[in-house]
Amino acid sequence: LIENIIPVEKRERRIFHVDLDAFFAAVEERENPAIRGKPVVVGADPKEGKGRGVVSTCNYEARKFGIRSGMPISRAWKLCPQAIYLPVNMPLYEKVSEKIMKILRKFADKFEQVGIDEAFLDVSKTARTFDSAARLAKKIKEEVKRKEKLTCSIGVAPNKLVAKIASDFRKPDGLTIITPEKVRSFLSPLPVRKLPGVGPKTESRLRQIGIETIGQLAKADPEDLAREFGVWGPRFVVMANGIDESEVEERYVAKSFGRQHTFEKDTDDVELMHKTIEVLSNETFEDVKRYAAFFKTVTLILRYENFETHTRSKTLESPAMSAEVIKKTAKELLKDFLGTEKKVRLIGVRVSGLLMDHRQKKLLESVKK
DNA sequence: TCTGGGGTCCTAGGACCC
DNA sequence: TCTGGGGTCCTAGGACCC
């Protein structure tokens, strides 16, 4: 059996995936009792249906109207003009997130934050059985509710992959426990789209070859899928079988930093593009400085009015650590795009090939804990 | 319906080196 | 005059995630 390939210590883990429910909207509702129970949409300014940008998060009331995160804000407005529309207040959410992550961290043997509103906890030592893990998960949910007035959904499973799918299974305020014996029967009826890494494109390509559920994918021939999807093919089959040996990783090292900006109005004003590059470079450099990193490569991102997106990058002769180098290189790369009729919608700057010395990494790790 | 912003990983071709 | 194979780096684009 395929499961027997997995070493026993990896098979016998209790992993949590904790997902804060409609996080940005929930924080706004908590802060402002007047909007509770009403549809709340956090994201770009809808400007009476003429706004540019997308929905960041909406609460469950707003979802009843068909609003979803990532949807153009103009479409959300059409679906529900009477909703409460709020701008993204990142500093506030970051503050709340930090407090909650502190609560979660103290229950975990190993802890990994993913983004602002999710975390994995390895509790295998603290909770030696799934019954004990279930009690612990309830305790965590209660403490988050009592101290921060917010709900979360938790998936409990033998690995990160299944825990993540489980936390999404019942929401909001859900708790889904998948013991090793239940992994197969839990996954097999679910659509392939539930697997992390399967997006809209992969979903439709899989459908074309007759694969719609995770159960069907689990039985597919890895070699056939390799021909179709490259390295991802066999990976999908392994995932569909509920197998994931990856560890809950305490530390994370950034590989790139960048900033991008969508103009209010599509533009062909080179002055404005230069000014924007300067602002974006300065902000990007703040991150570089905080990490005390050198960078080797500068990338310019440019999106035309028709949403066609291009990148140009340049690897420097020697690693740099200055905002001026980002600006100068990005402006140089911009030249490649000038002299067309098309107006520009977005400009972005990114640095990669980051170099941090070992001592630096160690210091950062100790600070983080 | 007309699409934000911050990221990661993969692919494929070409340059270059041995 | 025609032609190896492997490895690494760089570049551009695309899919995906939160």
Side-chain angles (χ1 to χ4, degrees):
Chain A
L1 223 63
I2 193 157
E3 282 89 343
N4 296 338
I5 303 165
I6 318 167
V8 73
E9 66 276 11
K10 296 265 172 129
R11 256 185 286 158
E12 301 198 342
R13 294 182 294 167
R14 264 87 39 213
I15 309 286
F16 289 6
H17 181 257
V18 182
D19 195 334
L20 299 168
D21 300 319
F23 183 53
F24 297 177
V27 172
E28 296 292 350
E29 283 187 88
R30 183 189 84 173
E31 300 297 302
N32 183 359
I35 65 171
R36 279 184 209 155
K38 295 180 181 168
V40 174
V41 180
V42 180
D45 184 350
K47 295 182 177 166
E48 307 276 315
K50 301 197 167 19
R52 194 167 241 202
V54 298
V55 173
S56 205
T57 317
C58 61
N59 66 0
Y60 282 82
E61 294 302 317
R63 288 182 202 187
K64 289 179 190 163
F65 292 86
I67 300 176
R68 295 288 180 274
S69 55
M71 174 183 282
I73 200 78
S74 53
R75 192 172 163 212
W77 177 267
K78 278 192 194 103
L79 290 168
C80 186
Q82 74 274 24
I84 311 283
Y85 288 88
L86 298 170
V88 178
N89 183 354
M90 221 40 176
L92 171 64
Y93 314 143
E94 275 166 1
K95 226 183 287 168
V96 179
S97 165
E98 213 172 293
K99 283 187 171 178
I100 294 171
M101 294 302 162
K102 223 171 243 169
I103 294 174
L104 301 182
R105 190 185 297 265
K106 83 179 183 216
F107 289 103
D109 307 327
K110 278 193 275 178
F111 179 80
E112 175 181 349
Q113 186 175 343
V114 184
I116 194 165
D117 63 350
E118 285 181 26
F120 287 103
L121 284 66
D122 187 327
V123 300
S124 304
K125 291 198 182 115
T126 304
R128 315 245 40 148
T129 65
F130 272 80
D131 279 343
S132 150
R135 287 192 293 275
L136 182 61
K138 282 181 193 147
K139 200 167 146 193
I140 291 174
K141 282 164 65 77
E142 278 161 21
E143 184 162 338
V144 171
K145 205 176 284 181
R146 180 164 51 83
K147 290 195 172 157
E148 292 300 325
K149 311 282 177 236
L150 292 170
T151 64
C152 58
S153 298
I154 303 187
V156 181
N159 61 52
K160 288 167 78 176
L161 170 78
V162 180
K164 178 151 177 61
I165 298 172
S167 73
D168 180 64
F169 187 70
R170 206 166 344 151
K171 280 178 154 188
D173 205 10
L175 173 58
T176 303
I177 294 153
I178 308 297
T179 58
E181 311 77 65
K182 295 278 184 193
V183 167
R184 256 163 206 294
S185 58
F186 169 63
L187 291 180
S188 79
L190 298 177
V192 289
R193 189 69 167 76
K194 293 286 176 188
L195 287 175
V198 176
K201 304 274 177 183
T202 308
E203 180 188 29
S204 89
R205 283 170 68 195
L206 282 169
R207 191 173 38 237
Q208 279 172 25
I209 55 173
I211 296 175
E212 295 192 350
T213 67
I214 297 182
Q216 291 173 315
L217 186 54
K219 281 182 262 164
D221 178 8
E223 286 187 24
D224 287 349
L225 285 164
R227 275 187 285 280
E228 184 66 25
F229 297 97
V231 294
W232 283 103
R235 246 180 244 184
F236 289 145
V237 178
V238 171
M239 284 199 285
N241 279 279
I243 296 167
D244 172 26
E245 296 188 47
S246 68
E247 301 271 352
V248 172
E249 299 280 356
E250 303 258 351
R251 265 309 298 167
Y252 156 84
V253 182
K255 301 210 162 62
S256 69
F257 297 116
R259 287 288 186 282
Q260 58 182 61
H261 174 75
T262 297
F263 295 109
E264 280 294 314
K265 238 175 120 259
D266 300 334
T267 185
D268 52 10
D269 181 348
V270 179
E271 258 323 284
L272 176 62
M273 292 186 224
H274 279 177
K275 279 270 175 287
T276 305
I277 285 175
E278 283 169 26
V279 172
L280 296 174
S281 300
N282 285 335
E283 289 176 6
T284 300
F285 185 61
E286 286 304 309
D287 289 343
V288 174
K289 242 189 340 200
R290 237 175 335 103
Y291 264 65
F294 286 82
F295 55 86
K296 277 198 323 219
T297 305
V298 177
T299 303
L300 179 82
I301 304 127
L302 188 134
R303 177 170 293 155
Y304 288 116
E305 52 190 339
N306 62 359
F307 222 72
E308 205 179 283
T309 308
H310 298 276
T311 62
R312 285 290 178 279
S313 57
K314 174 150 182 60
T315 298
L316 308 165
E317 275 171 31
S318 55
M321 199 194 316
S322 105
E324 292 313 309
V325 173
I326 308 177
K327 290 176 200 174
K328 197 170 150 252
T329 313
K331 285 180 189 172
E332 197 61 38
L333 292 167
L334 177 67
K335 286 182 183 166
D336 239 32
F337 296 110
L338 300 177
T340 61
E341 307 291 280
K342 286 177 282 190
K343 291 199 174 177
V344 175
R345 177 186 179 92
L346 166 149
I347 251 179
V349 157
R350 179 161 292 277
V351 297
S352 55
L354 301 180
L355 301 169
M356 250 192 294
D357 63 64
H358 272 67
R359 197 179 134 63
Q360 192 76 43
K361 271 190 210 166
K362 287 265 187 293
L363 285 170
L364 275 170
E365 274 170 42
S366 65
V367 167
K368 185 83 189 182
K369 288 182 184 166

mmCIF file of all heavy atoms in Angstrom, chain A residues 119-140:
data_model
loop_
_atom_site.group_PDB
_atom_site.id
_atom_site.type_symbol
_atom_site.label_atom_id
_atom_site.label_comp_id
_atom_site.label_asym_id
_atom_site.label_seq_id
_atom_site.Cartn_x
_atom_site.Cartn_y
_atom_site.Cartn_z
ATOM 1 N N ALA A 119 -2.336 29.570 10.196
ATOM 2 C CA ALA A 119 -1.146 28.978 10.810
ATOM 3 C C ALA A 119 -1.266 27.462 10.874
ATOM 4 O O ALA A 119 -2.368 26.915 10.943
ATOM 5 C CB ALA A 119 -0.953 29.539 12.210
ATOM 6 N N PHE A 120 -0.102 26.800 10.808
ATOM 7 C CA PHE A 120 -0.023 25.369 11.068
ATOM 8 C C PHE A 120 0.586 25.156 12.447
ATOM 9 O O PHE A 120 1.533 25.861 12.832
ATOM 10 C CB PHE A 120 0.881 24.682 10.033
ATOM 11 C CG PHE A 120 0.262 24.564 8.665
ATOM 12 C CD1 PHE A 120 0.648 25.411 7.639
ATOM 13 C CD2 PHE A 120 -0.700 23.588 8.411
ATOM 14 C CE1 PHE A 120 0.086 25.300 6.372
ATOM 15 C CE2 PHE A 120 -1.263 23.475 7.139
ATOM 16 C CZ PHE A 120 -0.864 24.321 6.136
ATOM 17 N N LEU A 121 0.040 24.188 13.185
ATOM 18 C CA LEU A 121 0.597 23.824 14.480
ATOM 19 C C LEU A 121 0.873 22.328 14.459
ATOM 20 O O LEU A 121 -0.019 21.547 14.082
ATOM 21 C CB LEU A 121 -0.391 24.108 15.618
ATOM 22 C CG LEU A 121 -0.638 25.534 16.108
ATOM 23 C CD1 LEU A 121 -1.292 26.401 15.054
ATOM 24 C CD2 LEU A 121 -1.503 25.503 17.359
ATOM 25 N N ASP A 122 2.078 21.921 14.843
ATOM 26 C CA ASP A 122 2.343 20.513 15.078
ATOM 27 C C ASP A 122 2.190 20.306 16.578
ATOM 28 O O ASP A 122 2.934 20.892 17.362
ATOM 29 C CB ASP A 122 3.762 20.160 14.605
ATOM 30 C CG ASP A 122 4.024 18.657 14.682
ATOM 31 O OD1 ASP A 122 3.460 18.002 15.600
ATOM 32 O OD2 ASP A 122 4.781 18.133 13.851
ATOM 33 N N VAL A 123 1.184 19.505 16.969
ATOM 34 C CA VAL A 123 0.907 19.301 18.396
ATOM 35 C C VAL A 123 1.114 17.833 18.782
ATOM 36 O O VAL A 123 0.576 17.373 19.789
ATOM 37 C CB VAL A 123 -0.533 19.756 18.747
ATOM 38 C CG1 VAL A 123 -0.729 21.226 18.438
ATOM 39 C CG2 VAL A 123 -1.574 18.919 18.005
ATOM 40 N N SER A 124 1.912 17.109 17.968
ATOM 41 C CA SER A 124 2.054 15.661 18.157
ATOM 42 C C SER A 124 2.533 15.265 19.545
ATOM 43 O O SER A 124 2.131 14.233 20.077
ATOM 44 C CB SER A 124 3.031 15.102 17.120
ATOM 45 O OG SER A 124 2.591 15.428 15.823
ATOM 46 N N LYS A 125 3.395 16.098 20.146
ATOM 47 C CA LYS A 125 3.911 15.765 21.492
ATOM 48 C C LYS A 125 2.901 16.127 22.566
ATOM 49 O O LYS A 125 2.670 15.363 23.493
ATOM 50 C CB LYS A 125 5.227 16.512 21.734
ATOM 51 C CG LYS A 125 6.378 16.008 20.878
ATOM 52 C CD LYS A 125 7.721 16.459 21.445
ATOM 53 C CE LYS A 125 8.859 15.986 20.544
ATOM 54 N NZ LYS A 125 9.569 17.121 19.917
ATOM 55 N N THR A 126 2.295 17.317 22.413
ATOM 56 C CA THR A 126 1.326 17.793 23.398
ATOM 57 C C THR A 126 0.076 16.914 23.410
ATOM 58 O O THR A 126 -0.454 16.589 24.463
ATOM 59 C CB THR A 126 0.911 19.238 23.063
ATOM 60 O OG1 THR A 126 2.092 20.026 23.009
ATOM 61 C CG2 THR A 126 -0.028 19.807 24.102
ATOM 62 N N ALA A 127 -0.388 16.538 22.208
ATOM 63 C CA ALA A 127 -1.588 15.705 22.087
ATOM 64 C C ALA A 127 -1.196 14.383 21.455
ATOM 65 O O ALA A 127 -0.941 14.320 20.255
ATOM 66 C CB ALA A 127 -2.632 16.423 21.244
ATOM 67 N N ARG A 128 -1.177 13.320 22.257
ATOM 68 C CA ARG A 128 -0.676 12.031 21.768
ATOM 69 C C ARG A 128 -1.746 11.243 21.014
ATOM 70 O O ARG A 128 -1.426 10.259 20.353
ATOM 71 C CB ARG A 128 -0.098 11.184 22.910
ATOM 72 C CG ARG A 128 0.786 11.967 23.844
ATOM 73 C CD ARG A 128 2.252 11.581 23.901
ATOM 74 N NE ARG A 128 2.900 11.246 22.664
ATOM 75 C CZ ARG A 128 4.194 11.485 22.417
ATOM 76 N NH1 ARG A 128 4.948 12.092 23.318
ATOM 77 N NH2 ARG A 128 4.730 11.110 21.286
ATOM 78 N N THR A 129 -3.010 11.656 21.148
ATOM 79 C CA THR A 129 -4.085 10.989 20.405
ATOM 80 C C THR A 129 -4.932 12.051 19.700
ATOM 81 O O THR A 129 -4.850 13.235 20.026
ATOM 82 C CB THR A 129 -5.032 10.215 21.345
ATOM 83 O OG1 THR A 129 -5.703 11.166 22.182
ATOM 84 C CG2 THR A 129 -4.274 9.226 22.206
ATOM 85 N N PHE A 130 -5.774 11.586 18.756
ATOM 86 C CA PHE A 130 -6.662 12.524 18.066
ATOM 87 C C PHE A 130 -7.758 13.035 18.991
ATOM 88 O O PHE A 130 -8.229 14.161 18.821
ATOM 89 C CB PHE A 130 -7.228 11.896 16.783
ATOM 90 C CG PHE A 130 -6.334 12.116 15.602
ATOM 91 C CD1 PHE A 130 -5.211 11.328 15.409
ATOM 92 C CD2 PHE A 130 -6.579 13.153 14.715
ATOM 93 C CE1 PHE A 130 -4.352 11.554 14.341
ATOM 94 C CE2 PHE A 130 -5.729 13.388 13.643
ATOM 95 C CZ PHE A 130 -4.618 12.583 13.458
ATOM 96 N N ASP A 131 -8.139 12.227 19.998
ATOM 97 C CA ASP A 131 -9.129 12.706 20.968
ATOM 98 C C ASP A 131 -8.569 13.884 21.754
ATOM 99 O O ASP A 131 -9.230 14.905 21.945
ATOM 100 C CB ASP A 131 -9.494 11.580 21.945
ATOM 101 C CG ASP A 131 -10.527 10.645 21.332
ATOM 102 O OD1 ASP A 131 -11.165 11.062 20.336
ATOM 103 O OD2 ASP A 131 -10.689 9.518 21.843
ATOM 104 N N SER A 132 -7.342 13.705 22.172
ATOM 105 C CA SER A 132 -6.700 14.773 22.928
ATOM 106 C C SER A 132 -6.489 16.006 22.040
ATOM 107 O O SER A 132 -6.654 17.144 22.489
ATOM 108 C CB SER A 132 -5.389 14.226 23.501
ATOM 109 O OG SER A 132 -4.436 15.218 23.622
ATOM 110 N N ALA A 133 -6.172 15.761 20.768
ATOM 111 C CA ALA A 133 -5.992 16.876 19.820
ATOM 112 C C ALA A 133 -7.304 17.634 19.623
ATOM 113 O O ALA A 133 -7.320 18.864 19.546
ATOM 114 C CB ALA A 133 -5.485 16.349 18.481
ATOM 115 N N ALA A 134 -8.408 16.894 19.583
ATOM 116 C CA ALA A 134 -9.717 17.534 19.411
ATOM 117 C C ALA A 134 -10.021 18.445 20.595
ATOM 118 O O ALA A 134 -10.518 19.568 20.417
ATOM 119 C CB ALA A 134 -10.800 16.472 19.264
ATOM 120 N N ARG A 135 -9.714 17.966 21.802
ATOM 121 C CA ARG A 135 -9.944 18.802 22.991
ATOM 122 C C ARG A 135 -9.092 20.062 22.928
ATOM 123 O O ARG A 135 -9.547 21.158 23.250
ATOM 124 C CB ARG A 135 -9.635 18.006 24.273
ATOM 125 C CG ARG A 135 -10.668 16.944 24.605
ATOM 126 C CD ARG A 135 -10.479 16.390 26.019
ATOM 127 N NE ARG A 135 -9.242 15.623 26.165
ATOM 128 C CZ ARG A 135 -9.121 14.321 25.865
ATOM 129 N NH1 ARG A 135 -10.178 13.639 25.417
ATOM 130 N NH2 ARG A 135 -7.971 13.695 26.016
ATOM 131 N N LEU A 136 -7.846 19.888 22.493
ATOM 132 C CA LEU A 136 -6.936 21.039 22.396
ATOM 133 C C LEU A 136 -7.446 22.062 21.375
ATOM 134 O O LEU A 136 -7.414 23.272 21.612
ATOM 135 C CB LEU A 136 -5.537 20.547 22.006
ATOM 136 C CG LEU A 136 -4.446 21.613 21.905
ATOM 137 C CD1 LEU A 136 -4.231 22.310 23.250
ATOM 138 C CD2 LEU A 136 -3.128 21.012 21.424
ATOM 139 N N ALA A 137 -7.955 21.563 20.259
ATOM 140 C CA ALA A 137 -8.461 22.468 19.214
ATOM 141 C C ALA A 137 -9.634 23.285 19.746
ATOM 142 O O ALA A 137 -9.734 24.489 19.498
ATOM 143 C CB ALA A 137 -8.871 21.668 17.983
ATOM 144 N N LYS A 138 -10.520 22.634 20.509
ATOM 145 C CA LYS A 138 -11.666 23.354 21.092
ATOM 146 C C LYS A 138 -11.182 24.430 22.052
ATOM 147 O O LYS A 138 -11.708 25.551 22.068
ATOM 148 C CB LYS A 138 -12.589 22.372 21.826
ATOM 149 C CG LYS A 138 -13.463 21.585 20.875
ATOM 150 C CD LYS A 138 -14.396 20.632 21.619
ATOM 151 C CE LYS A 138 -15.015 19.640 20.636
ATOM 152 N NZ LYS A 138 -15.261 18.324 21.246
ATOM 153 N N LYS A 139 -10.175 24.078 22.825
ATOM 154 C CA LYS A 139 -9.619 25.020 23.800
ATOM 155 C C LYS A 139 -9.048 26.250 23.094
ATOM 156 O O LYS A 139 -9.252 27.392 23.522
ATOM 157 C CB LYS A 139 -8.515 24.293 24.579
ATOM 158 C CG LYS A 139 -8.152 24.910 25.899
ATOM 159 C CD LYS A 139 -7.294 23.937 26.699
ATOM 160 C CE LYS A 139 -6.274 24.684 27.536
ATOM 161 N NZ LYS A 139 -5.236 23.787 28.073
ATOM 162 N N ILE A 140 -8.355 26.013 21.979
ATOM 163 C CA ILE A 140 -7.772 27.120 21.211
ATOM 164 C C ILE A 140 -8.872 28.023 20.669
ATOM 165 O O ILE A 140 -8.814 29.252 20.789
ATOM 166 C CB ILE A 140 -6.892 26.575 20.061
ATOM 167 C CG1 ILE A 140 -5.629 25.921 20.633
ATOM 168 C CG2 ILE A 140 -6.532 27.682 19.072
ATOM 169 C CD1 ILE A 140 -4.744 25.227 19.608
#
